[in-house]
Amino acid sequence: MTTPPLLEVQGLDVEFTTPDGGRLHAVRDVSFTLRRGETLAVVGESGSGKSTTALALLGMLPGTGRVRGGSVRLDGEDLVAAGEDRLRAVRGARIGMIFQDPMTALNPVLTIGRHLDEVLRAHAGHAPAGHARAGGARAGHAPVRRDRTARRARAVELLRLVGIPDPERRLDDHPHQFSGGQRQRVLIAMALAGEPDVLLADEPTTALDATVQDQILTLLGELTRTTGTAVVLITHNMGVVARACERVLVMYGGTVVEDGPTAEVLTRPRHPYTAGLLAAVPRLSTPSGTRLTGIPGTPPDLSLPLTGCAFAARCALVEDRCLTTAPPLTAVGAAVGGTVRAACLPAAEHAEPLPPAPPPARIDRPAPGAVVLAAEGLHKTYRSRRRRLTALDDVSITLAAGETLGIVGESGSGKSTLARVLAHAHPADAGQILLDGRDVTRPDRAELHSVRRRVQMVFQDPYASLNPRMTVGEIVAEPLRAFGIGTPAERPARVAELLRLVGLDPAAAGRHPRSFSGGQRQRIGIARALAPEPAVLICDEPVSALDVSVQAQIVGLLTDLQRDLGLALVFIAHDLAVVRQVSHRIAVMHDGRIVETGGADELCERPRDPYTRALLAAAPEPVPVAARQPAPRTTEAVTV
């Protein structure tokens, strides 16, 4: 007898009311099932409907969003028809959620211990009437809700489970005292606190370095095996999909365009969009100076009526009928683990995998020029009443015009602190910084103004780095006003040009950041950084929030700007495959120090330091592989 699914979604439709009274059809006819212990990946570009689908399952659609049709059944109960009181009982206890952005999901005035304590008081050991958790996992933690000491002990256990060092002490810290990756791990701990049956994980490893990502994926795998927890993993990282998921659902334009067993979809895609996503994925084995392959064009405007195939305008295989006929999701092949379905008229007829993408093109990169930025012996220590944290310990780098220096290392290794010190956002305690041969370590006010025009920064968090009260046009024009570039009449044209450079419609200038997806917000931040035409661009995880196709476009854009303008780049990222392809040289940081540096290809192929080897071993590749042992754990410093 076939076991009924734990979660069954049928014909889910979601729409939003736009400010002008129109309708934005964000999710169209999405259906899938999820069984206990199963992990389903949901992939697609920003704006494809992945996060909206997850929020609809919990009845947490923001603003004017509403479920227009369809059903969401959890153990047979339709949550779409449930009232708010019932949904509050389900959230956390039956369905947990790991949100995409850790800084906006955490209350900055509460300690991490308070965050976890609130969840444990609400959900620990609390099973809904008639519900028995597989294996009785809930029963063991029932006393936790009533005992403050037990709740604190459980909170320490959860932080240790997700890899937070010294968890007993870190419970009393606030979110701003954690690095971006550590904040993400706190969110995962909070989601696990209620021991849910279904875990909705919205980009849970986006902000994590390779070794911690490997640990988190191992943790989620153990959770599904030992407790029967089912996971919906929303991600743009195909390596994570290959590493952790049995099935994959590909979304585009708010609808499902392909689904099936992971191994089959990743190696034999049937839909042109899936093939385009896979072609855009960087491989660690691809040498430096290789151009990532993006998908031409932009996703459809979901506020407009859709006729025909949503992907037709971007598809190299488009036929006349694709422009007028919406393709149904049709079975196109069978594989071990289930049926492959694709919403593509040609694919439905031929039922054959698409041919492999051509090898990526090499980039004609001129040799770097003279040294434009240098740092020698940088030290930076953060102090509080309770402790002293060394973030930078004798760090030295050089950067030439037209050169990209990649910086990798685990969360908390000092990468972001180095970026802020080089950009003069934080002062160094000791050491020297030279810009164009001038000592600018401690510039006066006039010199600081000049330095900040020459050295711009793209920040890691596209949500926190954009003023929500300003329009996009005002955000991008702000550096133009600050540095006296152009006249007020000339600036709108420059703003439009910058938005085009980063792949946004100039008409977006009149909208606010809340109207954009995470990836689109990051592009706005890049446009703002490019506005004063800097000589050095310091990019702190500039593509971590972007899907693979937009990531390819942005990396290609930065590479072209570097070639045309002689721009010097400091490129900080945890995706070693991207870092290798974009960088001339790579520096590896650990515990506030640079432990290894060298040419990008040499370092990736012949690493010398054990820590570098651990990072490379943990990096996931977008090819389904057998489960492997977790990467070696390392002790990390804390970025405050």
Side-chain angles (χ1 to χ4, degrees):
M1 181 176 178
T2 304
T3 304
L6 172 63
L7 181 69
E8 186 174 12
V9 179
Q10 287 292 330
L12 184 66
D13 269 62
V14 177
E15 72 173 14
F16 291 82
T17 303
T18 59
D20 61 2
R23 295 286 185 268
L24 190 151
H25 202 168
V27 172
R28 304 165 185 258
D29 194 25
V30 169
S31 301
F32 63 88
T33 60
L34 190 68
R35 302 187 183 279
R36 291 191 183 276
E38 185 177 34
T39 301
L40 171 72
V42 182
V43 303
E45 291 175 292
S46 296
S48 64
K50 307 186 302 295
S51 297
T52 299
T53 298
L55 292 173
L57 302 184
L58 283 171
M60 294 177 60
L61 292 170
T64 60
R66 70 183 184 93
V67 175
R68 195 176 73 166
S71 62
V72 177
R73 298 187 180 278
L74 179 66
D75 273 337
E77 178 186 6
D78 189 357
L79 300 183
V80 171
E84 182 59 28
D85 288 345
R86 178 64 188 134
L87 287 173
R88 275 197 295 267
V90 168
R91 295 171 191 145
R94 299 292 312 278
I95 303 179
M97 180 82 179
I98 303 170
F99 292 95
Q100 180 175 1
D101 179 50
M103 203 55 187
T104 57
L106 297 173
N107 189 329
V109 302
L110 298 183
T111 65
I112 297 305
R114 282 285 303 278
H115 281 89
L116 286 164
D117 189 72
E118 286 186 355
V119 179
L120 291 168
R121 277 189 290 131
H123 299 302
H126 178 66
H131 171 62
R133 176 61 186 264
R138 289 185 183 278
H141 294 295
V144 170
R145 300 177 63 232
R146 300 184 294 271
D147 187 329
R148 182 176 180 180
T149 301
R151 291 198 306 270
R152 184 174 178 89
R154 176 62 175 155
V156 169
E157 179 185 350
L158 287 165
L159 289 186
R160 184 176 290 112
L161 192 67
V162 297
I164 296 292
D166 198 6
E168 293 87 351
R169 179 171 57 81
R170 299 311 304 277
L171 275 181
D172 299 319
D173 286 342
H174 289 79
H176 73 272
Q177 294 173 285
F178 288 73
S179 68
Q182 291 169 332
R183 288 194 291 264
Q184 188 67 62
R185 281 181 271 174
V186 170
L187 284 188
I188 294 172
M190 291 171 62
L192 296 179
E195 299 177 358
D197 296 295
V198 178
L199 191 60
L200 306 179
D202 190 358
E203 301 283 4
T205 61
T206 291
L208 303 182
D209 52 80
T211 54
V212 178
Q213 176 178 263
D214 191 79
Q215 294 159 18
I216 293 300
L217 294 178
T218 299
L219 169 64
L220 292 177
E222 291 172 352
L223 188 72
T224 60
R225 287 191 299 272
T226 59
T227 69
T229 299
V231 178
V232 177
L233 182 62
I234 298 170
T235 183
H236 60 253
N237 189 325
M238 294 297 187
V240 168
V241 174
R243 166 80 166 76
C245 305
E246 292 89 7
R247 292 190 296 125
V248 58
L249 198 78
V250 183
M251 293 190 69
Y252 180 79
T255 191
V256 178
V257 298
E258 184 168 358
D259 69 5
T262 298
E264 186 72 8
V265 172
L266 294 192
T267 58
R268 294 158 55 87
R270 264 68 166 191
H271 197 283
Y273 177 64
T274 308
L277 286 180
L278 291 169
V281 176
R283 265 77 169 175
L284 190 57
S285 56
T286 304
S288 173
T290 302
R291 183 176 293 276
L292 297 176
T293 305
I295 302 175
T298 57
D301 185 344
L302 299 182
S303 65
L304 300 176
L306 184 63
T307 58
C309 177
F311 190 62
R314 306 174 71 186
C315 183
L317 305 179
V318 64
E319 301 175 1
D320 289 343
R321 56 180 175 161
C322 301
L323 303 177
T324 57
T325 305
L329 192 63
T330 305
V332 293
V336 176
T339 301
V340 180
R341 301 185 301 166
C344 176
L345 297 176
E349 287 185 355
H350 303 298
E352 290 293 332
L354 295 170
R362 297 286 295 172
I363 301 171
D364 181 18
R365 299 199 296 187
V371 171
V372 63
L373 180 68
E376 186 71 31
L378 293 180
H379 289 261
K380 181 66 182 177
T381 300
Y382 295 102
R383 295 174 177 83
S384 68
R385 289 180 299 174
R386 293 186 292 116
R387 65 185 183 275
R388 179 176 179 271
L389 302 172
T390 300
L392 296 180
D393 184 8
D394 194 24
V395 171
S396 300
I397 65 164
T398 60
L399 182 67
E403 181 185 34
T404 299
L405 174 65
I407 299 180
V408 300
E410 288 183 295
S411 176
S413 62
K415 306 186 304 294
S416 294
T417 296
L418 176 60
R420 284 161 170 75
V421 168
L422 294 175
H424 286 79
H426 291 178
D429 296 334
Q432 185 181 47
I433 301 174
L434 300 176
L435 180 63
D436 296 323
R438 300 189 339 266
D439 188 343
V440 295
T441 309
R442 292 171 180 80
D444 58 29
R445 184 173 181 178
E447 191 175 32
L448 181 61
H449 187 76
S450 174
V451 169
R452 284 182 172 164
R453 177 173 180 178
R454 296 276 290 163
V455 181
Q456 281 286 303
M457 188 163 177
V458 178
F459 294 94
Q460 177 179 0
D461 186 351
Y463 290 83
S465 63
L466 301 179
N467 189 330
R469 298 180 180 178
M470 297 173 68
T471 66
V472 169
E474 291 169 339
I475 289 169
V476 178
E478 187 176 30
L480 301 177
R481 292 192 301 271
F483 294 109
I485 301 171
T487 66
E490 295 168 340
R491 287 169 192 157
R494 176 59 177 159
V495 168
E497 179 186 355
L498 288 163
L499 292 177
R500 287 191 193 95
L501 275 176
V502 297
L504 292 173
D505 188 336
R511 295 159 59 189
H512 288 79
R514 65 177 177 271
S515 302
F516 295 87
S517 66
Q520 291 168 327
R521 295 186 203 204
Q522 190 66 294
R523 284 184 267 176
I524 295 167
I526 293 171
R528 176 181 57 187
L530 293 173
E533 300 179 351
V536 178
L537 198 59
I538 299 175
C539 303
D540 187 4
E541 298 281 6
V543 295
S544 65
L546 305 183
D547 52 77
V548 290
S549 62
V550 178
Q551 172 182 271
Q553 296 168 11
I554 295 300
V555 169
L557 167 65
L558 292 173
T559 302
D560 292 341
L561 289 169
Q562 182 177 68
R563 180 196 60 212
D564 298 339
L565 305 175
L567 195 65
L569 298 176
V570 176
F571 194 91
I572 298 171
H574 60 260
D575 190 328
L576 286 162
V578 174
V579 173
R580 176 176 183 176
Q581 292 181 39
V582 77
S583 303
H584 294 80
R585 292 183 297 121
I586 296 176
V588 181
M589 292 195 69
H590 179 52
D591 282 346
R593 299 180 65 88
I594 292 178
V595 298
E596 184 171 358
T597 186
D601 291 337
E602 179 184 4
L603 185 140
C604 290
E605 293 173 4
R606 292 178 292 278
R608 292 176 172 80
D609 191 87
Y611 178 70
T612 307
R613 290 196 290 270
L615 288 180
L616 292 166
E621 287 283 86
V623 177
V625 293
R628 53 194 169 122
Q629 293 298 317
R633 291 288 298 271
T634 55
T635 305
E636 56 184 68
V638 178
T639 300
V640 187

